[in-house]
């Protein structure tokens, strides 16, 4: 009896450690924001900032992208990272939307 409880605890610790190590890229499995998403359409989100509808979103300026926006939750080198504007779904580092605010 004691041995199986001990085995269970050791196994549990091992599993917990695995989760802790794997949590580094926790957002990697989050869904990407599709451009067809209603919020994405309202904010003019594009995965490729060069494809932004400049007539509709005149505030867009070349050089602006998610990777240098203050809402981007990843490193600028991460291809995708969560954005709070989209319930922490993933947006592209090279993307853009009209909620853009230059990172200070
Ligand atoms: Fe990208 Fe910033 Fe818009 Fe989020 S708020 S989608 S990081 S431009």
């Amino acid at each position: 009896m004691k041995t199986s409880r001990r085995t269970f605890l050791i196994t549990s610790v091992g599993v917990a450690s695995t989760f802790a190590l794997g949590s580094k890229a926790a957002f990697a499995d989050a869904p990407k924001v599709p451009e067809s998403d209603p919020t994405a359409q309202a904010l003019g989100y594009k995965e490729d900032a060069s494809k932004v509808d400049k007539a509709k979103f005149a505030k867009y300026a070349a050089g602006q992208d998610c990777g240098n926006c203050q809402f981007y939750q990843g490193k600028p080198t991460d291809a995708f990272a969560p954005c709070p504007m989209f319930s922490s779904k993933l947006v592209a580092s090279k993307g853009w939307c009209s909620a853009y605010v230059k990172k200070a």
Side-chain angles (χ1 to χ4, degrees):
M1 283 294 221
K2 277 189 179 175
T3 305
S4 69
R5 183 162 190 262
R6 188 172 172 192
T7 304
F8 171 76
L9 287 174
I10 290 169
T11 306
S12 301
V13 168
V15 170
S17 304
T18 304
F19 278 119
L21 289 173
S23 66
K24 236 180 163 182
F27 64 76
D29 293 332
K32 291 178 185 170
V33 175
E35 291 178 359
S36 58
D37 177 283
T39 307
Q41 298 221 319
L43 294 176
Y45 171 74
K46 294 286 179 194
E47 271 194 24
D48 178 349
S50 70
K51 299 208 168 103
V52 168
D53 182 345
K54 291 151 192 107
K56 205 169 167 189
F57 298 98
K59 75 173 258 189
Y60 170 75
Q64 295 180 348
D65 63 33
C66 295
N68 60 42
C69 171
Q70 93 174 23
F71 296 111
Y72 195 65
Q73 307 281 290
K75 296 185 291 266
T77 50
D78 290 333
F80 285 84
C83 172
M85 294 300 154
F86 296 98
S87 309
S88 293
K89 285 184 192 159
L90 305 183
V91 296
S93 164
K94 302 275 180 235
W96 185 90
C97 90
S98 61
Y100 174 88
V101 176
K102 188 173 174 50
K103 195 175 273 182

